Amino acid sequence: MRIAALASGTGTILEALIGADLPVSLVVVDRKCRAIEVATKAGIEVVELIRDDFTPTFDRDAYSKDLVRALEARDIDLVVMAGFGTIVGPAVHEAYRDRILNTHPALLPAFKGWHAVEQALAAGVKVTGCTVHVASLEVDEGHILAQEAVPVLPGDTTTSLHERIKAVERQIYPATVRRVITQLANGEPIS
Ligand code: GRF
């Protein structure tokens, strides 16, 4: 089983995956970020598929095809998104259908998208959380594999709440990826 992790940020979720001894053999980043150092320190190959266009003219299809080429060239079986800031296009979902996992810092289907933590705070919810799910072409949809609630505390900021959520993600994501690996190895459906 060869896993590729896709990351754009501080890479703490990536660190948790690596720390759990999951077979991460490739890290792909879409920008310069700490995840590169995390992977390098762990001796894991990094592909820097740097995205130079964050405007609506971004050629998502070309980027997605480049990503598939990088993954297939390294015989990747399972793709785990670990805070990846680029929505991948149909080419990736066709090549890795039901083989892409994601962790999201909210209790889906609430608060989809990149600003989930801000949205939860703005909505005034008392409880939010995190969701591990199979990634599909529709952003933050797809079969839910694990969820855990996290309380919103008085005085929480986006940063403090996100950190509390990420602490839980660092537990449930590696555990869920491990379960999926076993299910795939046994020819069972992912659940
Ligand atoms: C996590 O909250 C993840 O759910 C979200 O981005 C964050 C990544 O955190 N998509 P880090 O960069 O791994 O610390």
Side-chain angles (χ1 to χ4, degrees):
M1 172 68 60
R2 291 173 58 79
I3 296 181
L6 314 185
S8 305
T10 56
T12 66
I13 306 288
L14 173 64
E15 266 172 331
L17 294 166
I18 295 169
D21 277 336
L22 291 166
V24 179
S25 44
L26 176 68
V27 171
V28 181
V29 297
D30 65 353
R31 66 199 77 186
K32 295 285 182 191
C33 58
R34 181 175 169 271
I36 297 171
E37 295 154 44
V38 171
T40 307
K41 208 170 136 198
I44 297 170
E45 182 188 3
V46 180
V47 169
E48 296 188 22
L49 214 52
I50 301 298
R51 176 172 165 184
D52 49 14
D53 183 0
F54 285 86
T55 72
T57 64
F58 171 56
D59 191 345
R60 197 173 307 279
D61 284 342
Y63 188 91
S64 300
K65 284 176 186 156
D66 286 347
L67 176 56
V68 170
R69 262 191 292 278
L71 298 171
E72 289 185 339
R74 291 159 183 86
D75 290 325
I76 294 301
D77 306 297
L78 182 67
V79 179
V80 300
M81 303 217 236
F84 194 56
T86 295
I87 295 168
V88 298
V92 184
H93 291 282
E94 278 157 25
Y96 286 91
R97 189 174 304 283
D98 293 334
R99 296 289 179 277
I100 309 171
L101 307 183
N102 185 40
T103 177
H104 181 75
L107 291 174
L108 292 174
F111 309 125
K112 295 175 184 172
W114 193 245
H115 301 289
V117 182
E118 289 95 317
Q119 286 171 18
L121 266 184
V125 295
K126 300 289 184 203
V127 175
T128 181
C130 51
T131 303
V132 179
H133 63 104
V134 177
S136 59
L137 196 50
E138 299 75 34
V139 175
D140 296 330
E141 304 259 344
H143 185 65
I144 291 174
L145 300 171
Q147 286 188 305
E148 197 163 314
V150 174
V152 180
L153 301 180
D156 252 341
T157 61
T158 303
T159 307
S160 65
L161 179 56
H162 199 177
E163 281 309 315
R164 199 171 324 108
I165 294 170
K166 288 207 297 183
V168 178
E169 291 185 279
R170 292 193 282 264
Q171 301 296 320
I172 70 165
Y173 200 29
T176 307
V177 172
R178 190 181 307 288
R179 189 173 80 224
V180 166
I181 290 173
T182 306
Q183 290 169 338
L184 290 174
N186 293 338
E188 296 165 358
I190 294 174
S191 63

